[in-house]
Amino acid sequence: MIRSLGIFAFISCMAWFLVACQPGQDDQVNHTSSPMAERTIAVAAAEVQSRDLSRRLVLSATVQPLQTVRLAAQTRGIVQQLHVEVGDQVEQGDPLLSLDQAEQGAELARAEAVLEQAKLAYQRQAELYSRQLTSSAEYQAQAAELRVAESEFVLWQTRVAFGTIVAPRAAVVSQRWVELGESIREQDPLLELTDMSQLVVHLGVSELDVAHLTVGQQVEVKLDALPQHPITGQIRRVFPTAELSSRFITVEVALPGTAYQQGIRPGYLARVNLTIDAREQALAIPVSALISSDESSDDENQYVMLIKDDRLLRQAVTTGVQRGQWLEITSGIEAGDVVLAAQASDMNEGQRVRIVGWRG
């Protein structure tokens, strides 16, 4: 009996202790309503900066002279004197070659004698006419004969002059098709003179790109023969029509006037760097930073997530052109702003973030 009462008292004490140790209802409510620790997400960011988003177009073409003169024979004859070689620099009026003009010279001498005879006959006829010893018809006939003789003399003077070829301008002899003692006829090619003071490059530009080019625009030119010496050229003219087959329009780029002295020669391959749609100071962000609104939403603007005070802030933006991985922003953000560099589906405005990497 006494043993049973002891066991019962022990069980009662343990039950009371367990009940006393359990939290009450109020304590459970307070515990479940306490806020959880806020999560911070590690992100990559990009600083909004001005970048050169101009579109570049590199075209190649052959250097050529702006002006080339081809000299042809204007009379027949044998090359008697040859004064120049290929590569010689000549000035305007310098003799280049001479032809044997013995036959033409003889004809000139005959025409000169006929002219002298016609002058004497005219003088006698004029004296007689002044004394009224001859008719007006005879006087006029003799005056006509004098004019014919003068014309014949000038004709053979000109033909003899054709026997000496002179430089029509300052240039370099770039071709020679005759040799000393060679017999030539009218219109046979003799020499080619090239004006090296103005070298140009003719580029074929697409009809879609030529609208962005203007006369006077400066361009960078590199030559395969002189890779370490780029030069600055200038668009001299844009041809008015396009080629029917290719739809390309010829754009002429003038090289500096000292290009020949710098070692640039016609025939060299030039690579011209054209700036199409210049945007040298465009605010840009990575393409991956742009977020598009849900199509079902009323808000159709595109936006980015700004990072301010370690939190995300949604900011609507207006975009421009895209060049590779960079996108132009025309309004909505400023230089120096920091944006989330990549889209994340679980990112919301107000989210706390920590920058662990940078793009650009």
Side-chain angles (χ1 to χ4, degrees):
M1 181 67 178
I2 295 173
R3 183 178 179 182
S4 299
L5 290 174
I7 294 174
F8 177 77
F10 175 76
I11 293 175
S12 297
C13 290
M14 291 299 295
W16 179 86
F17 176 77
L18 291 175
V19 172
C21 291
Q22 291 182 356
Q25 185 175 1
D26 294 338
D27 292 338
Q28 287 183 334
V29 173
N30 292 335
H31 178 75
T32 57
S33 62
S34 62
M36 298 178 58
E38 185 176 10
R39 186 176 60 158
T40 299
I41 299 178
V43 298
E47 182 179 356
V48 180
Q49 296 178 350
S50 295
R51 296 181 180 274
D52 186 358
L53 298 186
S54 303
R55 186 157 65 91
R56 308 281 181 185
L57 183 64
V58 179
L59 299 176
S60 59
T62 302
V63 176
Q64 55 185 299
L66 178 63
Q67 294 181 336
T68 298
V69 179
R70 292 178 175 84
L71 303 179
Q74 294 178 287
T75 186
R76 67 182 184 276
I78 298 175
V79 179
Q80 190 175 42
Q81 292 180 317
L82 195 54
H83 305 288
V84 293
E85 296 282 351
V86 173
D88 288 351
Q89 176 76 44
V90 296
E91 300 297 328
Q92 183 176 6
D94 286 352
L96 305 178
L97 62 84
S98 299
L99 304 178
D100 179 8
Q101 294 286 282
E103 181 180 352
Q104 290 86 344
E107 289 289 349
L108 176 61
R110 183 189 64 79
E112 186 177 11
V114 171
L115 176 60
E116 290 296 329
Q117 184 179 8
K119 285 181 179 179
L120 293 174
Y122 173 75
Q123 290 173 358
R124 288 194 302 268
Q125 195 64 236
E127 184 178 353
L128 293 174
Y129 182 70
S130 65
R131 296 178 181 180
Q132 296 183 348
L133 298 177
T134 186
S135 66
S136 175
E138 291 177 332
Y139 170 74
Q140 292 177 356
Q142 191 60 53
E145 288 184 13
L146 176 60
R147 290 196 297 272
V148 171
E150 289 174 340
S151 299
E152 189 76 7
F153 177 74
V154 172
L155 173 63
W156 285 107
Q157 263 190 331
T158 303
R159 289 184 176 178
V160 170
F162 285 161
T164 301
I165 309 300
V166 298
R169 60 181 303 159
V172 173
V173 180
S174 53
Q175 291 285 344
R176 194 184 76 183
W177 292 289
V178 295
E179 295 296 337
L180 191 65
E182 186 173 349
S183 177
I184 60 173
R185 296 172 298 177
E186 291 88 344
Q187 303 306 315
D188 282 350
L190 302 176
L191 300 166
E192 180 185 75
L193 303 182
T194 299
D195 183 5
M196 297 297 184
S197 65
Q198 183 62 83
L199 302 179
V200 297
V201 177
H202 285 172
L203 305 173
V205 181
S206 166
E207 57 183 338
L208 303 178
D209 296 328
V210 74
H212 299 286
L213 302 177
T214 58
V215 174
Q217 178 179 338
Q218 292 187 340
V219 297
E220 183 186 54
V221 181
K222 293 184 177 180
L223 297 111
D224 287 2
L226 303 169
Q228 304 302 323
H229 301 283
I231 60 176
T232 300
Q234 189 176 63
I235 296 179
R236 184 176 181 270
R237 57 177 171 164
V238 178
F239 282 37
T241 59
E243 296 182 6
L244 295 180
S245 58
S246 63
R247 299 294 180 187
F248 283 173
I249 296 177
T250 301
V251 175
E252 184 178 79
V253 175
L255 304 185
T258 58
Y260 184 71
Q261 287 72 24
Q262 294 178 24
I264 300 174
R265 299 291 184 264
Y268 281 8
L269 182 64
R271 303 183 189 276
V272 183
N273 190 345
L274 300 174
T275 299
I276 308 295
D277 188 16
R279 298 172 185 265
E280 297 178 353
Q281 295 294 325
L283 288 181
I285 62 172
V287 175
S288 58
L290 183 70
I291 305 173
S292 298
S293 301
D294 188 354
E295 295 180 358
S296 62
S297 172
D298 293 337
D299 181 12
E300 297 180 355
N301 291 331
Q302 297 175 313
Y303 64 95
V304 296
M305 285 294 190
L306 291 177
I307 301 177
K308 291 188 176 182
D309 299 328
D310 295 333
R311 294 188 181 276
L312 297 181
L313 175 63
R314 174 172 169 159
Q315 176 62 49
V317 294
T318 304
T319 60
V321 299
Q322 179 180 340
R323 298 284 186 261
Q325 64 174 342
W326 298 102
L327 178 66
E328 180 187 22
I329 301 297
T330 57
S331 66
I333 55 178
E334 299 178 352
D337 287 344
V338 178
V339 299
L340 189 66
Q343 300 181 23
S345 57
D346 59 344
M347 294 291 186
N348 297 314
E349 188 172 17
Q351 172 70 55
R352 187 177 182 84
V353 296
R354 177 170 56 90
I355 299 174
V356 296
W358 292 89
R359 289 283 301 277

